[in-house]
Amino acid sequence: MGKHFVPFEGNHASAPARPGQTPAGWTFANFLDGMAHRGNAPALIAVRAGALETISFEELAGRVRAFARRLLERGISSGEMVALLAPNGFSWVIARLALSAIGAIAVAIDELATDDEVRGVLAGAGATYILCVSSRGEGLRKTNPGLGIIPIDEASTIATGGGPALPAISDSAPALLAYTSGTTGTPKAIVLTRSNIETNVRALVGSHLVGPGDHVLLPLPLAHVYPLVVGLLAPLGSGAAIVFPEGVTGPQILEAIRLAGVSAIVGVPRLYSALVSGLMARVRSSGLVRRAIFDAVLHLSMFLRRCGINAGGILFRAIRARFGAKLRLLVSGGAKLEPETLWTLLGLGFDVRCGYGLAETSATFAANMPQEERWESEGKPVGGRVRIARPDDSGTGEIELKGPQVFSHYLGNEEATRAAFTADGWFKTGDIGRLDRDGFLFVTGRAKDILVLGGGKKADPETLEKIYGASRYIREIAIFEHKGALAALVVPSLEASRAGGAMHLDTAIRIELTSAARALPSYQRLAGFAIVREPLPRTRLGKYRRFLLPAIYERAQARAPHEAAAELSADDKALLEKPAAHRVYDMLVARYPRGPLSLDASPLLDLGIDSLEWISFGLELEDRLNLRLSEAEIGGVVTVRDLLKLAARGPAAPPASSRDWVAPIGIALKSLGGLLYGLDDLIMRV
């Protein structure tokens, strides 16, 4: 128990340089020259209104140098903290690379940050300049007097040309200020040097996962380290083009894949699970025979893939063409890719690459590289070493790292820095995992997320979320500790409720959760759950911000008032003009006085009409309006609008008379009944 495994050291050497690639390997110093040598090959591609906008490598390098000189003219010097606040796009890339070219320390801020959040980041970093789009400039000027605001809108149109040479920057100089994910509390500021980042980019460029001619889709916010290093710097350093979709909805991503001829995606597990879910939904709707054939062929392809044969590209050529004829490589990071999703993608013939890293390790530390991969693992270390602290009998313990990509300190937080490292200089990740005999890393959980319950029992919420969240009626589920026991927040799938005919959504979810709990020990069973409408709080890379969950749970139990719709549509106005619908609406307002009532409100989530409350409310509907709803009709009521439409149709047909159940039957039915009884008796005796 108190010992460590022998550390495993990565040995991924850079492969020989391809034509046009700098032989010495990628560095910030040779980055711009390397891009300029690629000439008119596309470097950045943006999808706008169904068309493509492109900027070449040579043009990109020229604009970066020109904007870098503009920053020098504004008085920004090497080593100065400069914030960057803008959406993904040409201007962001040019501005970010220009900051590196002059040696400034980039403080990238998520574009969705509020003005108060931006002010906090600026104060913590000590930044006196910010590069931002014009639309944010005025608000920032009011809330941050004295802040130097530089619009980056001109970055993508600035004239290129000659000028003074850019300064030489030491590899050990700080390159950027990143922030921890904030899943457990206030984010910490991480200082990463140029050499930290160069270590990872050089290894990724040397792996030749992508190269000239590849188009890499990047749907993730560049303000985070993983998209910056793996999604931008490494592909550009390899000669591939970056594709920015017009938005991050499913249709927008698919449009970008098809229009831009995307061959690779740098994404997160939630993106790939959504793609697989969409595919499976289409398969399920195609009929029993086709579904059975698809499942059989998919399992055959998975088996062949385990044997080293990739037949999916041929077997599923038509299906893959729907994603994009050229799409071949899927890179996943930010969280663990679930085995079910991984094997489905492998069975379809895609090249799937998973790895492991944190913001503190410049995004990557271990990866499944070509010719050295093990499915369901996070791969081998890239240029560093891994050891397992205090392993249990199965070899599982906390993952500790040491290598050139590991950060040195948190800005202005010596206490957190000391707590992050062991006495002999290893970084304590807080993640739980093991190393196999060949040095492949398997991550099994996160120590900081382990819940300590009453009596000292411990539970891994991520593992339990997979078990409890398997129901089709559950869109999202997050588990946390509440008063010494486990509680959960559930976002229901209203569509599944309507399509599946769940009699009462809350009852269906309760039954599913209870059923899942039967196979678990008592301390891992939920003591309570609350159903909420809003998506649960996550970081931009998809991790739950667990410290926010208890407050949401308390509010859900108190059933805070819902928001009213801004204005009724013409159809809704016509619906409310129908007497029966209007009377039901008035009944709801009187019975559940929670402010203005939206027709989009959920009877369950917003009004608190659960399965028991439906008994009382249903009797009132029958008594006052002669409106009798069947269980199936109640199961289909997802919004107030659904209920009003049922009322507008008029009262339901009365049930069959009880006399029908006791009326005498004829000789034919008596004979058939006797025959069936005899057959049943014979079967049961056997």
Side-chain angles (χ1 to χ4, degrees), residues 384-446:
R385 292 182 290 165
V386 178
R387 73 181 183 186
I388 305 300
R390 300 170 296 280
D392 59 17
D393 293 339
S394 67
T396 301
E398 183 176 1
I399 300 169
E400 295 181 349
L401 310 174
K402 179 180 282 190
Q405 61 270 69
V406 177
F407 82 124
S408 60
H409 66 284
Y410 296 113
L411 183 68
N413 197 335
E414 294 182 6
E415 181 180 355
T417 301
R418 285 194 298 271
F421 289 90
T422 64
D424 56 348
W426 288 72
F427 172 53
K428 298 185 290 185
T429 66
D431 290 324
I432 304 299
R434 62 181 177 84
L435 288 166
D436 69 9
R437 65 180 63 186
D438 297 319
F440 286 92
L441 177 65
F442 291 79
V443 178
T444 57
R446 182 153 181 81

Side-chain angles (χ1 to χ4, degrees), residues 10 82 127 165 195 244 333 336 406 628:
V82 181
S195 60
F244 296 115
K336 186 175 181 63
V406 177
R628 185 177 301 158

Side-chain angles (χ1 to χ4, degrees), residues 433-605:
R434 62 181 177 84
L435 288 166
D436 69 9
R437 65 180 63 186
D438 297 319
F440 286 92
L441 177 65
F442 291 79
V443 178
T444 57
R446 182 153 181 81
K448 294 180 181 178
D449 288 340
I450 297 298
L451 304 175
V452 181
L453 309 175
K457 294 290 187 179
K458 296 181 180 180
D460 179 4
E462 290 188 355
T463 300
L464 294 176
E465 284 159 2
K466 297 170 191 172
I467 297 173
Y468 284 114
S471 168
R472 61 174 175 165
Y473 298 115
I474 297 176
R475 183 184 298 277
E476 284 186 280
I477 184 170
I479 294 175
F480 55 97
E481 182 272 335
H482 183 69
K483 297 181 180 179
L486 292 178
L489 285 168
V490 176
V491 178
S493 174
L494 301 180
E495 298 83 359
S497 171
R498 182 182 279 122
M503 297 305 179
H504 300 284
L505 185 57
D506 63 320
T507 302
I509 291 175
R510 183 177 288 107
I511 291 172
E512 297 275 310
L513 294 178
T514 303
S515 176
R518 289 174 182 164
L520 298 172
S522 59
Y523 71 91
Q524 292 184 356
R525 297 173 184 173
L526 298 176
F529 73 94
I531 298 177
V532 296
R533 175 195 295 273
E534 300 79 9
L536 300 176
R538 296 177 182 263
T539 67
R540 290 293 296 277
L541 297 185
K543 298 178 181 178
Y544 284 130
R545 304 188 72 189
R546 295 190 184 276
F547 71 99
L548 298 176
L549 300 179
I552 299 174
Y553 185 71
E554 297 290 348
R555 289 198 300 271
Q557 289 188 319
R559 294 224 176 262
H562 60 276
E563 295 182 2
E567 185 178 351
L568 291 175
S569 67
D571 290 341
D572 287 342
K573 290 178 181 178
L575 177 61
L576 284 173
E577 288 175 357
K578 297 180 179 181
H582 191 74
R583 290 187 65 185
V584 172
Y585 183 84
D586 288 343
M587 287 174 57
L588 290 170
V589 172
R591 188 180 178 105
Y592 308 102
R594 302 171 184 268
L597 179 60
S598 166
L599 268 62
D600 290 312
S602 165
L604 171 63
L605 303 181

Side-chain angles (χ1 to χ4, degrees), residues 335-348:
K336 186 175 181 63
L337 185 64
E338 292 303 316
E340 181 180 359
T341 302
L342 169 67
W343 280 105
T344 299
L345 295 171
L346 290 173
L348 292 173

Side-chain angles (χ1 to χ4, degrees), residues 134-273:
S134 300
S135 59
R136 293 296 296 265
E138 190 60 33
L140 292 172
R141 187 173 285 107
K142 292 178 180 179
T143 56
N144 300 272
L147 178 67
I149 299 177
I150 303 175
I152 68 168
D153 308 73
E154 64 181 49
S156 58
T157 59
I158 189 171
T160 61
L166 299 176
I169 313 296
S170 168
D171 287 342
S172 61
L176 64 87
L177 198 66
Y179 288 85
T180 56
S181 62
T183 57
T184 57
T186 304
K188 298 184 286 291
I190 307 162
V191 179
L192 295 176
T193 66
R194 294 163 75 93
S195 60
N196 289 151
I197 298 169
E198 286 172 356
T199 298
N200 282 336
V201 177
R202 194 157 40 239
L204 293 170
V205 170
S207 71
H208 302 307
L209 285 170
V210 295
D214 277 314
H215 291 181
V216 180
L217 181 72
L218 184 59
L220 307 176
L222 281 166
H224 298 272
V225 181
Y226 164 56
L228 172 68
V229 174
V230 180
L232 179 71
L233 298 180
L236 288 180
S238 302
I242 308 299
V243 178
F244 296 115
E246 191 163 12
V248 294
T249 66
Q252 289 170 321
I253 288 176
L254 289 176
E255 179 188 41
I257 292 174
R258 293 163 182 162
L259 285 179
V262 166
S263 56
I265 301 177
V266 175
V268 291
R270 291 187 71 201
L271 170 62
Y272 299 125
S273 64

Side-chain angles (χ1 to χ4, degrees), residues 66-78 80 82 99 102 128-132 141 146-152 154 158:
F67 196 67
R69 295 186 183 104
R70 179 69 57 86
L71 297 179
L72 291 173
E73 292 170 359
R74 289 292 301 265
I76 298 177
S77 58
S78 177
E80 189 163 359
V82 181
L99 290 174
I102 65 173
T128 55
Y129 286 93
I130 186 169
L131 307 179
C132 66
R141 187 173 285 107
L147 178 67
I149 299 177
I150 303 175
I152 68 168
E154 64 181 49
I158 189 171

